[in-house]
Amino acid sequence: MKKRIAAAGAAIVVVLVIAAFAAMRMMAPPDDLDLARSKTSENGLYVVTLAPEAEPVQRSKLHVWIATVQRPDGSPVEDAAIAIDGGMPQHGHGLPTAPQAGGYLGDGRYRIEGLRFNMSGWWELKLTIGSAAGKDAVVFNVVL
Amino acid sequence: MSAVLKMSFKVLAVGISLFLAGCSGEQLSDEEKQLIGQFRLSELQPLPADPTNKYADQSGPAAFGATLFFEQRLSRDGNVACSTCHISDRQFQDDRPFGKGVGETKRRTMPLAGVAYSPWFFWDGRRDSLWAQALGPLEDQNEHAGTRTAYAQLIAREFKDRYENIFGPLPDLSAVPASAGPFGAEAERAAWMAMSDDQRAAVDLVFANMGKAIAAFERTLVHKPTRFDRFADALAAGRQPEKDAALSEDEILGLRLFVGKARCSTCHTGPRFTDDHFHNTGVPQADGKPLDLGRETAVAQVLADPFNCAGRFRDGDESACGELRFMVKEGPELKRAFKTPSLRGAASRPPYMHAGQFKSLVEVVEHYAAAPQSPDGHSELVRLKLSEREKTALVAFLKTLAQ
């Protein structure tokens, strides 16, 4: 009986200590976050590359990103309609601006305008892409 | 006592001391030091240019703007200047829940240090430039309550040379009514409508230029370094903080909570302690005032403002209008969302929030701990488990931003 109480006590302490450390680290993004800038879309229709026009990306400033959209065979997608959404999963809020896909630059490249990150940390950017090949989506992680 | 029990007490003791070490101010981790460094005033970027106002960084217009800012004749009753509510030796605010001009405002007067960094102005961001903002109070019936032709006439009468040195010749105002404008009394609105398009455009230009001069002055209002900055600068330089830069254990605990488990720096971030964005934080509705929906109402107002970045009074080209163009126009997060205020100097200027709902920082921290539901829309806050000591520590830390 004593043993059980002791074991339970020890377990509670361990949990408490872990919780305390977890709380302190709460704002840090997960260690295993996939930060790849090139990804295959969820249903495999597109290979999308997303990169800022200028680095480093500064907090609180509007900036332009370039999305390059290809079919899995590497051919550029010329007629993509791109919608951008996103937010901070750890804080449960969306983007502070409403970015839009601007001009087509050729070679499957599109300007994404009006992105601004108002906080440091982990951001998700979701691109929903429609073209003659169909509709698909891809989510990128950005850490600032 | 059995060996196992002894053992478990040991684990408990180690656990508790580890837990306390994690919370008390003794040892800041490298990660924490790095985080804290980002809040130093010395990390503040130079003020970005405002290409929509070509006078923004010129000293002549700024000096003229200062004159206008303190000029009481710029009001219906001759008693109200910007400085009536934005009091220069009170951090450019008035220590009241509501501003008192010709009438009483619906919200609290905002302090002005560092204001020019923000992309949006007012608690709800219903203006998109500092110069367009300045025109609002001049015609607001509760503030200066005057009309734009009356202001243009005053400039022509009292400040002709100073105005013309900066902006060029004043238009001929001899046929323009003494008091007419789109927000005046009924007769003044009618008189405004009766004016020709050219007359209205000429008056609007003088009015916009007044805003640009005032904005040039406001761009010079800056924050001063505080005890927190001296502490964090020493930390960043690897020096031992000395004299008043040495924060107490409570103050350091508060700082740690601020950037850590209390999640304050989620919104109060960077050297100005604000993300310049709008959030619903479940602040109660102000007594005796109509329900205030914050950002939700402001979107249509800024789009309709003839002095916004898309309008014809902007200098430079449209490339400066990104914030307006990419503004979030709808969504549940706009309801009762207000602009995150800077926390610099906050400790010495109660009351708090957009309508002075809280009288003290203790009340503010209690609010964040309890995270009540919003009177309308959805609060972004999550409840915090804070001990009494931790609450005191947060308040102690906030005071280091005002000393």
Side-chain angles (χ1 to χ4, degrees), chain A residues 3 6 13 17 20-21 24-28 59 62 90-91 93 95-100 113-114 116 118-119, chain B residues 4-5 8 11-12 15 18-19 22 31 119-120 259 261 263 266 269-270 275 277 322-323 325-328 380:
Chain A
K3 248 188 202 168
V13 170
V17 171
F21 280 111
M24 282 164 60
R25 292 197 48 93
M26 188 160 64
M27 312 310 278
R59 194 180 67 78
L62 287 175
Q90 286 167 316
H91 302 301
H93 63 68
L95 296 175
T97 56
Q100 292 165 18
E113 299 176 322
R116 173 158 64 80
N118 52 323
M119 285 171 52
Chain B
V4 182
L5 202 56
S8 77
V11 174
L12 189 71
L18 262 178
F19 184 80
E31 196 184 334
W120 301 107
V259 300
K261 84 164 187 186
R263 312 183 76 167
T266 315
T269 186
D275 62 354
H277 198 57
E323 291 290 348
R325 189 170 154 215
F326 300 111
M327 170 173 71
V328 175
E380 285 178 42

Side-chain angles (χ1 to χ4, degrees), chain A residues 31-114:
Chain A
D31 291 332
D32 56 349
L33 203 60
D34 176 5
L35 295 173
R37 286 193 169 169
S38 259
K39 284 184 168 180
T40 301
S41 57
E42 281 157 12
N43 298 320
L45 291 184
Y46 306 107
V47 175
V48 186
T49 308
L50 185 69
E53 194 178 54
E55 309 228 36
V57 174
Q58 285 188 20
R59 194 180 67 78
S60 291
K61 291 220 168 86
L62 287 175
H63 36 83
V64 172
W65 289 55
I66 306 292
T68 309
V69 187
Q70 297 173 321
R71 296 300 317 266
D73 66 5
S75 59
V77 177
E78 308 264 347
D79 62 340
I82 305 177
I84 310 103
D85 202 354
M88 296 196 89
Q90 286 167 316
H91 302 301
H93 63 68
L95 296 175
T97 56
Q100 292 165 18
Y104 179 54
L105 304 170
D107 284 338
R109 294 183 307 135
Y110 298 81
R111 264 169 79 87
I112 309 287
E113 299 176 322

Side-chain angles (χ1 to χ4, degrees), chain B residues 197-247:
Chain B
D197 286 349
D198 285 352
Q199 280 179 322
R200 279 198 298 259
V203 170
D204 279 348
L205 182 63
V206 176
F207 195 43
N209 284 337
M210 290 170 65
K212 288 178 184 177
I214 293 173
F217 163 64
E218 291 173 307
R219 283 169 69 84
T220 65
L221 306 177
V222 293
H223 291 288
K224 290 199 183 68
T226 64
R227 276 185 67 215
F228 162 75
D229 298 296
R230 292 189 279 281
F231 168 80
D233 278 338
L235 211 62
R239 279 186 279 115
Q240 187 66 29
E242 281 168 3
K243 296 190 193 129
D244 83 331
L247 298 195

Side-chain angles (χ1 to χ4, degrees), chain B residues 265-286:
Chain B
S265 61
T266 315
C267 303
H268 299 283
T269 186
R272 290 182 300 116
F273 290 82
T274 168
D275 62 354
D276 293 315
H277 198 57
F278 307 96
H279 303 275
N280 181 330
T281 51
V283 168
Q285 171 62 30

